[in-house]
Amino acid sequence: MGTRSSIERVNSTLPGRSLLLGLAVVGLVFGGPSDTFAASKVERVQFVAKSVGMKRNVHVYLPDQYMKDKDARFPVVYALHGLGGTGGGFFESANLKSHMDSLIRSKKVRPVIIVAPDGDKGYWTNQLRVKGKLSKRWGDYVSKDLVAEVDSR
């Protein structure tokens, strides 16, 4: 994320598995030419999410063009894993980085940023009170905290 990052970088190697749910989003990013392909990257970053009250891991795919043009703006796709998965699973198990690199190189999709947060044992929704105790607000985490963090770069 170069000089446009305000969140802490973490070791980019994660064990884990994930369901391949994100490839369906490729249909959302069709169109637009891409620059000459070189090397994209996936970074694992962390930030404190107020809605869930803890530090969260996020995997971010950055197309090569992101590093080349510091003023360019890119569409952002939020890839949410299934129950038992991780954001890193899109890149480790499903090889999403390689797939996106190939699609961008062949000009089948335009360059995009893919943000794949790690969830928990929830369903990406705000959960009800359990025994009088407020549960985690995963919907707010994605729609408020995560989007604000990405937009702040």
Side-chain angles (χ1 to χ4, degrees):
M1 293 189 292
T3 59
R4 293 182 278 176
S5 173
S6 62
I7 51 185
E8 173 187 350
R9 292 181 192 198
V10 183
N11 179 355
S12 62
T13 307
L14 279 182
R17 57 194 176 97
S18 177
L19 299 173
L20 178 58
L21 299 176
L23 287 180
V25 301
V26 171
L28 300 173
V29 297
F30 274 75
S34 66
D35 295 333
T36 303
F37 178 81
S40 64
K41 65 180 175 177
V42 175
E43 291 186 355
R44 179 179 162 212
V45 296
Q46 289 184 332
F47 77 103
V48 175
K50 293 178 186 175
S51 294
V52 292
M54 64 182 88
K55 192 181 280 191
R56 302 304 307 157
N57 292 317
V58 180
H59 294 78
V60 182
Y61 168 84
L62 298 170
D64 172 58
Q65 297 80 356
Y66 182 90
M67 279 66 74
K68 287 182 179 177
D69 185 351
K70 300 297 182 194
D71 296 320
R73 307 266 311 154
F74 297 90
V76 178
V77 175
Y78 292 86
L80 306 179
H81 63 77
L83 189 63
T86 67
F90 287 108
F91 303 102
E92 295 158 5
S93 302
N95 205 15
L96 185 57
K97 178 187 180 301
S98 184
H99 290 297
M100 287 304 298
D101 290 347
S102 177
L103 289 167
I104 292 169
R105 180 176 47 250
S106 65
K107 299 183 192 246
K108 291 181 179 176
V109 298
R110 62 183 170 167
V112 298
I113 294 171
I114 298 177
V115 177
D118 283 349
D120 206 5
K121 296 176 183 172
Y123 294 98
W124 300 109
T125 61
N126 290 342
Q127 299 169 3
L128 301 174
R129 292 184 179 268
V130 177
K131 296 181 182 178
K133 205 174 178 183
L134 185 62
S135 295
K136 301 294 182 198
R137 297 181 354 247
W138 293 105
D140 289 348
Y141 160 61
V142 173
S143 66
K144 296 178 181 177
D145 300 344
L146 184 58
V147 171
E149 187 66 31
V150 170
D151 286 349
S152 72
R153 294 185 259 142

